[in-house]
Amino acid sequence: MVVTDTRELTVQGRFGNAVEEFRERGWWQDGSAGALLDRWAAERPDRRFVSDGTTELDYATLRGRAYRLGATLRAAGVGTGDRVAVQLPNWAEFAVSYLAIARIGAVMVPIMTVYRETEVAHVLRNSGAVAAVTTGEFRGFDHAAMFRSLRAGAPELATLVIARAPAQDGELAFDDACAGTEVPELGPQPDPDAPHLIVYTSGTESTAKGCVHTWNTLDFSGRGLARDVFHTTPDDVVFMPSPVAHATGLVVGLLVPLAVGAQTHLLDVWEPHEGLRRIAEYRCTATATATPFVRMALDAAKGEHPDVSSMRFWLCAGAPIPEALAREFGGVFTGGRLVPLYGASEVMAATCCHLEDSLERMSSSDGTPALDGVHIKIIGPDGDEAAPGEEGEICYRGPGAILGYWREPERSAAVIDGEGWHHMGDLGRADADGYVRVTGRLKDIIIRGGTNISAGEVEGHLAAHPSVAAVAVVAYPDERMGERAAAVVVPAAGAAPTLEELTAFLRTERRIAPHKLPERLVVVDALPMTATGKVQKFRLRELARQEG
């Protein structure tokens, strides 16, 4: 497959003859988010679907609010295939927005609340969003004001919906957009093979790429995780402190419970003591987070005695699970299992361990192919499949892969080969039994608390500082977050900049997300280079580590 134009982002162009197999095997079931919502609203209307500590919505109420919001968006000019950006915390309004947008056949573009003007402007321009749903001030930052200022550079953005904050003239208040008692008729369910979701993900490039999922590619992962990994039942309550605007939070926090008619509880600001309290209060049974969240929760539990016995399953991504951590987890979350998963926004779930796997497997691998239908292979430097135990690039093929990157045919073609394999850009080894261990990455990224930071992007911003002659951004290890970012700077003539000066510049002048700010500064006379002129980042990582 070679994607040459956005119009070629079709299931036939991406998957070819495999589409028939996906349907025959039941991996694609050609349903819709709206059809699932209709089913549960009819079968269990009073069953709570989403709560967030402030708002609780049962399936029937959720359906009414979502469909009225969908009708409001349609009346405002949002049509089938139009993109709608959503930057909201982990609130019930996010679930309402997602189901409203999905029901009218529009495409949701989730944006994490940590993103600021630079990242949001790129997403709006690249996606061509015609509408956005956001809030006012959250954690000291006014999101509505940011969107208002960005509209001048995003002429297609005609509609702005404001949740839990006052709307100005020409804007829609979220509650007003959902108001009423009637459930409008919205016509046929949307095409399950059309673009359904565009998740923007950071990689090695300076700008985020838009991962285009259909309902079928997304549902494959959500339904499969619910069935084969979480073993979710209608009695489960998924706890979701990870951002639902991120791939993990969206799939596990919304699609897994929606697949079986279960519940979800959302936490908008992760704080481990509050997290334990919510798990106990809402009797949460399963979750998925970056591995550092687990360490923080276990540390918080040492001084408390919350009843977290309901939590039976905690899926971890972004860092290995030490055996000692898994054993400690089982002692606090009595009978619970800590399970590793490896995935990405492009494929959602690639590999994971399963409940029948031993503790040794859980701590020594990232599992086998996560779901029936997923194929994983390791490609060596020569382009051939690597032998067991040999390191190479991890590649994915299966029904959960994206169609490609939105409006980025060159980037799509660079990672999806002619046989349909998606080259993940990560390094790993597979043993003789097919268990994969992620060993590193080809991509130049820092994974801070499970969130990717593009080193190249931050370097580009730092290079604009007048006191910086040259710069490289690298990861250094951190027990709490897994990794943090360090800036290695060659100063321009004059005094070297301080870390505070650089982060203030990034925050106020370049307006990038706060989680991307370097947390360590190393000043050097020159960056070490290879004979071909490439920065030797392995040496800089060691320097950054030693600075601690």
Side-chain angles (χ1 to χ4, degrees):
M1 185 212 78
V2 177
V3 178
T4 58
D5 189 88
T6 299
R7 290 169 296 182
E8 294 187 32
L9 291 182
T10 65
V11 296
Q12 291 296 336
R14 172 64 175 87
F15 299 105
N17 295 332
V19 169
E20 185 176 346
E21 180 191 9
F22 293 169
R23 290 193 165 94
E24 288 178 351
R25 299 290 294 272
W27 297 327
W28 287 359
Q29 295 191 355
D30 292 343
S32 69
L36 283 172
L37 183 56
D38 289 346
R39 176 184 175 182
W40 305 130
E43 292 184 11
R44 52 194 72 164
D46 299 327
R47 173 75 166 176
R48 183 173 64 201
F49 173 68
V50 61
S51 57
D52 61 17
T54 299
T55 301
E56 298 186 2
L57 299 175
D58 59 40
Y59 275 99
T61 304
L62 174 66
R63 180 175 181 268
R65 287 180 67 81
Y67 285 13
R68 288 190 290 272
L69 176 59
T72 300
L73 291 173
R74 182 177 282 178
V78 178
T80 301
D82 284 340
R83 278 73 62 203
V84 180
V86 179
Q87 189 181 47
L88 288 173
N90 282 18
W91 293 345
E93 286 88 344
F94 190 100
V96 173
S97 299
Y98 166 64
L99 291 164
I101 294 162
R103 182 60 186 86
I104 64 173
V107 182
M108 188 174 79
V109 182
I111 305 174
M112 291 197 294
T113 54
V114 295
Y115 285 164
R116 298 294 184 256
E117 285 90 341
T118 297
E119 297 92 356
V120 176
H122 167 69
V123 170
L124 293 178
R125 286 193 302 268
N126 183 259
S127 68
V130 302
V133 183
T134 191
T135 187
E137 187 167 311
F138 176 69
R139 304 193 75 179
F141 183 79
D142 193 333
H143 295 269
M146 175 181 64
F147 272 88
R148 290 167 187 142
S149 69
L150 291 176
R151 290 180 81 172
E156 294 171 283
L157 187 63
T159 301
L160 193 57
V161 184
I162 308 297
R164 301 194 189 186
Q168 295 185 358
D169 290 344
E171 301 170 354
L172 297 172
F174 190 93
D175 286 341
D176 291 345
C178 302
T181 57
E182 299 296 321
V183 179
E185 173 57 49
L186 297 174
Q189 297 286 349
D191 180 358
D193 288 333
H196 171 81
L197 175 77
I198 303 177
V199 182
Y200 280 81
T201 181
S202 294
T204 60
E205 298 87 355
S206 60
T207 56
K209 309 179 294 290
C211 302
V212 181
H213 280 279
T214 69
W215 167 253
N216 273 329
T217 66
L218 194 65
D219 176 59
F220 168 77
S221 296
R223 181 166 38 85
L225 286 171
R227 180 191 63 236
D228 298 338
V229 177
F230 286 95
H231 299 286
T232 315
T233 75
D235 295 327
D236 274 303
V237 181
V238 174
F239 172 58
M240 190 42 60
S242 302
V244 286
H246 187 266
T248 299
L250 178 64
V251 172
V252 178
L254 294 183
L255 293 188
V256 165
L258 185 63
V260 300
Q263 297 184 46
T264 188
H265 179 74
L266 308 178
L267 178 63
D268 60 358
V269 178
W270 169 248
E271 195 286 319
H273 296 278
E274 179 64 12
L276 294 174
R277 190 188 72 77
R278 296 282 188 95
I279 290 170
E281 178 180 354
Y282 288 88
R283 307 307 297 157
C284 298
T285 59
T287 190
T289 70
T291 306
F293 281 51
V294 181
R295 179 70 270 161
M296 288 184 269
L298 293 176
D299 288 344
K302 291 177 181 177
E304 304 176 3
H305 299 282
D307 181 6
V308 292
S309 59
S310 60
M311 181 63 72
R312 62 177 181 79
F313 196 98
W314 194 309
L315 199 68
C316 288
I321 299 175
E323 184 172 343
L325 184 69
R327 293 188 184 280
E328 184 180 352
F329 178 86
V332 174
F333 294 87
T334 311
R337 297 296 299 275
L338 196 57
V339 180
L341 175 139
Y342 162 66
S345 299
E346 286 88 343
V347 303
M348 299 304 178
T351 68
C352 73
C353 284
H354 297 78
L355 287 175
E356 61 271 19
D357 286 317
S358 66
L359 183 62
E360 181 182 4
R361 284 292 194 190
M362 299 278 191
S363 60
S364 64
S365 80
D366 293 288
T368 53
L371 306 172
D372 184 33
V374 170
H375 300 277
I376 300 292
K377 70 175 179 178
I378 309 297
I379 301 297
D382 58 0
D384 294 330
E385 187 166 358
E390 292 184 357
E391 187 178 64
E393 184 179 14
I394 302 171
C395 297
Y396 170 108
R397 187 166 68 185
I402 57 171
L403 299 186
Y405 297 120
W406 184 255
R407 293 178 174 170
E408 303 262 18
E410 295 82 7
R411 283 180 168 181
S412 300
V415 298
I416 304 170
D417 67 26
E419 295 181 343
W421 289 97
H422 191 109
H423 293 245
M424 301 292 292
D426 294 310
L427 296 171
R429 294 185 177 92
D431 66 18
D433 296 321
Y435 283 82
V436 173
R437 185 55 149 178
V438 180
T439 58
R441 50 190 176 266
L442 297 173
K443 309 178 211 177
D444 192 8
I445 59 174
I446 296 101
I447 303 179
R448 183 187 188 277
T451 300
N452 290 357
I453 301 171
S454 166
E457 177 190 1
V458 182
E459 288 166 354
H461 289 300
L462 285 171
H465 192 282
S467 297
V468 174
V471 61
V473 174
V474 296
Y476 65 91
D478 180 78
E479 182 178 352
R480 185 167 181 263
M481 302 303 293
E483 292 180 338
R484 295 180 189 266
V488 183
V489 169
V490 177
T498 65
L499 180 62
E500 291 73 20
E501 289 170 348
L502 294 178
T503 54
F505 172 76
L506 294 175
R507 185 183 294 109
T508 60
E509 298 294 327
R510 308 300 288 189
R511 296 184 176 184
I512 69 171
H515 75 282
K516 298 179 182 179
L517 302 180
E519 295 171 89
R520 184 171 288 176
L521 173 65
V522 180
V523 178
V524 295
D525 294 331
L527 298 178
M529 298 285 186
T530 67
T532 58
K534 293 183 179 180
V535 176
Q536 294 177 309
K537 286 202 166 182
F538 71 94
R539 295 177 59 183
L540 298 182
R541 292 187 189 99
E542 181 62 21
L543 277 177
R545 186 188 67 80
Q546 292 174 356
E547 284 291 317

